[in-house]
Amino acid sequence: MKSEINPSILIGVFDVRGIGLGSGLNNVESYLAHSGLPGTQSAMNPFQSAFGFTIHDIWGIINEYVDNQWSHRSDTAIDFAEFKNNLLIGCIRHFDGYRIGNVHHVFNPYAILRFVHGLSSIESPSDVAYSGHSYWVQTGSMRVLETIKASSAADLSRYCSYLTSLFLRQSSYQQSVGPLAESIALDSIDDAAVNTIGSQEQPRFPSDIYKDIRKELADICMVRSGDSFSDMQNLGRGPLQAQTIMRLLYQAGYLAPIGKDCVGIPNSEVYEALEQFYKRIAEHHRISTDVLEPIQEEMGICSGNIQRFARSFHSCLINTPNLGEDTLEKTYQTLLSCYLFPITRAGYSIQTEAVTGNGRADILLLPPHSRARAGSTSTSYYVLELKRYCGATTRGNAARMATENRRAVAGTIYAQAMQAQAQIYERYYPTIADKARDCDHLYVIGISFWMNRFCMAITKRRRAEGADGTVGWAECPYEGGIVADRAVSYEQLGDDLENTEDGGLREMIVDGSLVVVTI
């Protein structure tokens, strides 16, 4: 019998060779999802085009089903071109994200076919539900991975927190940049548009904020050999280390390569499954079930710690490449709103270009209504107006970062940040003050950007209710060791910055506003 066996292919299995489980297989070649991705150790993957549906396949399936099989295809009140456009966009948004080697936009056929089959039960395009599915989980249980060593639970929490925040920021970023954003902007999608969309990779969120964790996970999933995970022999019999669980999640497709040196959650469907997976482990080990809690605490917005927000966003901005003196204000707006996106999981709403008063506010952060004035939890409403540096430009990084130029830039962007604040008061403030009346605090924030640096001017106001029931907003002092009675004019700002290192933050009080600047 053995003499009749030709080479065989096993797919959808864990590679557990070399850990003493006694496999009789020999002469084995193992290909993981990143095999064939340029820049990785495995430069070849003969099977990278053999699996999954492409965007072209999805578009063909959608057209075939809607035109020839959907029971309501004769309803003349339905805009079928728009319906099909939305179905393609929804599939990209919720089921895309896998890649095999150098082939991107790989879709799980089982998920797509089940999703399209489910359209038979709807009567209107508005009834389509893209979220809440567990097609990928249905292809194989995750229960075997839910036993983790107690000493490793903190590592698992750290990994999941990073992966979740990366996924949310990346998903938000892809709504504005890349093939998904382009498809949303199209009035009509045709075969040519599908070719264009399919030829482009989804962009990565540009800031590498947590590079140490990124490198650690990339090493676990894409570099280390299987025999370095000695506890894998406990698979199904005992608790595993967090690193082993990450490796197995990667092999099982719950994590995917999103670059030669980065892994992440592929799509919304898998994100929802991993969220439930983590909650079950967290409940068992009695740790916080909110995987984003440390990220939200670091960002400071939910707690009203604006100094912490300025410092954390500084870490984002300083680690974002390709920001120059000609970077557009829209680019900064996209970067900031995507960076903030994890707070939406705490109930906040992010609005950009919001029609407010006599203009459009660049960014509004609205707290969860269910918590506003409902209990002891303090709620804060934020309005942010952005500017970009409009002073003289320089050639060469050495000239830009010279002491004399940094002093000049400091004065300019400080003035622009104050102008941004003044614009809020002139155009939006009465409307904003009324909308925020059920909140405890109102933050008025002007920001001016210069390359990877910024000046942020913040006024904090406290809700004050008069005897007649009218609500006003009293300016209130900041805490955290800042000397509130120190007034500094912007002419001194550049000289003061000489006392900090390049890329460092300086905080001060200027005319009642907190000014945070990095030059």
Side-chain angles (χ1 to χ4, degrees):
M1 182 67 180
K2 290 184 178 180
S3 63
E4 299 174 0
I5 296 178
N6 287 315
S8 299
I9 299 174
L10 296 176
I11 61 174
V13 297
F14 293 141
D15 183 357
V16 294
R17 293 172 297 148
I19 60 171
L21 293 183
S23 171
L25 296 175
N26 56 44
N27 197 26
V28 174
E29 290 289 340
S30 180
Y31 297 95
L32 296 178
H34 61 273
S35 301
L37 181 62
T40 62
Q41 292 180 334
S42 304
M44 184 189 71
N45 188 344
F47 305 106
Q48 63 183 10
S49 299
F51 301 102
F53 284 162
T54 66
I55 285 182
H56 300 85
D57 296 327
I58 307 300
W59 184 237
I61 291 169
I62 288 172
N63 277 278
E64 166 62 25
Y65 184 82
V66 173
D67 292 343
N68 301 317
Q69 298 183 43
W70 191 41
S71 57
H72 299 278
R73 60 186 179 275
S74 60
D75 189 339
T76 56
I78 295 174
D79 185 336
F80 285 95
E82 181 182 29
F83 182 32
K84 289 188 283 188
N85 288 4
N86 291 339
L87 286 173
L88 180 64
I89 292 168
C91 286
I92 294 173
R93 181 177 290 161
H94 291 273
F95 304 115
D96 195 6
Y98 301 105
R99 74 176 301 147
I100 302 177
N102 207 29
V103 177
H104 51 86
H105 295 306
V106 178
F107 294 77
N108 172 19
Y110 178 77
I112 294 300
L113 294 177
R114 287 292 304 274
F115 170 74
V116 172
H117 176 72
L119 297 177
S120 62
S121 63
I122 70 165
E123 298 181 0
S124 167
S126 61
D127 297 331
V128 179
Y130 296 98
S131 60
H133 303 297
S134 56
Y135 302 130
W136 187 261
V137 178
Q138 291 169 11
T139 65
S141 173
M142 298 172 68
R143 290 289 180 180
V144 71
L145 302 182
E146 291 182 12
T147 54
I148 180 172
K149 293 182 179 178
S151 60
S152 200
D155 281 335
L156 185 70
S157 178
R158 184 166 56 92
Y159 295 147
C160 290
S161 180
Y162 160 77
L163 290 166
T164 300
S165 62
L166 174 65
F167 172 75
L168 293 175
R169 285 167 175 152
Q170 197 138 283
S171 298
S172 177
Y173 187 69
Q174 290 166 0
Q175 303 290 315
S176 302
V177 181
L180 177 59
E182 292 175 9
S183 62
I184 293 173
L186 291 173
D187 294 328
S188 177
I189 297 177
D190 55 19
D191 292 342
V194 171
N195 287 333
T196 302
I197 295 168
S199 67
Q200 304 174 56
E201 290 199 49
Q202 292 279 36
R204 291 167 60 173
F205 181 65
S207 181
D208 193 5
I209 310 171
Y210 309 109
K211 61 182 68 175
D212 291 340
I213 303 180
R214 172 184 61 78
K215 292 177 180 177
E216 186 177 347
L217 280 172
D219 179 68
I220 290 169
C221 298
M222 303 168 68
V223 178
R224 290 171 59 181
S225 61
D227 57 8
S228 67
F229 299 91
S230 58
D231 64 324
M232 204 177 288
Q233 57 189 316
N234 293 331
L235 188 61
R237 301 199 301 261
L240 304 172
Q241 298 282 1
Q243 292 81 0
T244 303
I245 291 177
M246 289 294 108
R247 172 78 169 201
L248 293 173
L249 285 173
Y250 179 69
Q251 290 194 19
Y254 289 94
L255 301 178
I258 54 177
K260 65 180 182 180
D261 56 356
C262 185
V263 299
I265 300 171
N267 54 46
S268 296
E269 181 201 4
V270 174
Y271 163 71
E272 292 170 5
L274 284 176
E275 188 175 39
Q276 296 305 313
F277 167 78
Y278 175 77
K279 284 182 178 179
R280 288 193 292 268
I281 293 178
E283 287 172 353
H284 178 75
H285 288 276
R286 297 182 180 180
I287 59 178
S288 174
T289 57
D290 185 356
V291 70
L292 284 172
E293 187 176 277
I295 298 295
Q296 291 165 350
E297 183 179 352
E298 176 187 298
M299 293 172 68
I301 291 293
C302 298
S303 61
N305 190 329
I306 203 68
Q307 292 101 321
R308 182 173 291 172
F309 161 63
R311 294 178 194 130
S312 65
F313 181 59
H314 165 66
S315 297
C316 170
L317 203 66
I318 209 71
N319 286 291
T320 303
N322 303 320
L323 297 177
E325 290 180 314
D326 56 349
T327 298
L328 300 177
E329 181 184 310
K330 180 67 175 177
T331 301
Y332 290 113
Q333 182 189 46
T334 298
L335 182 65
L336 177 54
S337 60
C338 295
Y339 170 76
L340 289 167
F341 198 72
I343 69 172
T344 61
R345 292 304 184 266
Y348 268 83
S349 173
I350 301 174
Q351 297 181 5
T352 58
E353 298 299 327
V355 177
T356 307
N358 296 322
R360 292 179 178 270
D362 286 331
I363 298 178
L364 295 180
L365 306 181
L366 285 61
H369 292 292
S370 60
R371 288 164 58 184
R373 311 303 300 174
S376 60
T377 303
S378 176
T379 57
S380 302
Y381 193 110
Y382 299 84
V383 53
L384 298 90
E385 188 68 21
L386 314 183
K387 302 287 184 183
R388 59 177 289 269
Y389 174 67
C390 294
T393 58
T394 57
R395 293 185 179 181
N397 193 58
R400 281 195 293 265
M401 300 310 295
T403 298
E404 184 178 353
N405 189 62
R406 288 195 299 126
R407 288 178 178 176
V409 170
T412 301
I413 66 170
Y414 166 76
Q416 291 181 178
M418 287 302 190
Q419 289 168 10
Q421 257 200 338
Q423 183 173 319
I424 293 172
Y425 284 113
E426 292 168 4
R427 298 183 184 180
Y428 322 132
Y429 187 73
T431 304
I432 293 294
D434 183 60
K435 288 183 176 181
R437 63 184 178 274
D438 290 329
C439 297
D440 297 291
H441 295 99
L442 171 62
Y443 289 89
V444 178
I445 304 174
I447 311 178
S448 180
F449 293 94
W450 177 67
M451 303 200 303
N452 295 71
R453 314 304 207 262
F454 64 82
C455 180
M456 186 181 297
I458 311 111
T459 300
K460 178 181 179 181
R461 295 186 174 276
R462 182 182 67 254
R463 184 180 186 273
E465 189 169 333
D468 59 354
T470 59
V471 175
W473 293 96
E475 191 170 330
C476 54
Y478 286 89
E479 300 176 354
I482 298 175
V483 180
D485 61 356
R486 179 186 176 204
V488 181
S489 64
Y490 75 83
E491 288 90 350
Q492 296 173 277
L493 207 54
D495 290 334
D496 283 344
L497 289 168
E498 295 308 301
N499 298 320
T500 67
E501 297 180 358
D502 288 354
L505 283 174
R506 169 58 68 90
E507 299 174 349
M508 61 195 74
I509 300 296
V510 181
D511 297 331
S513 289
L514 171 66
V515 174
V516 183
V517 64
T518 169
I519 294 294

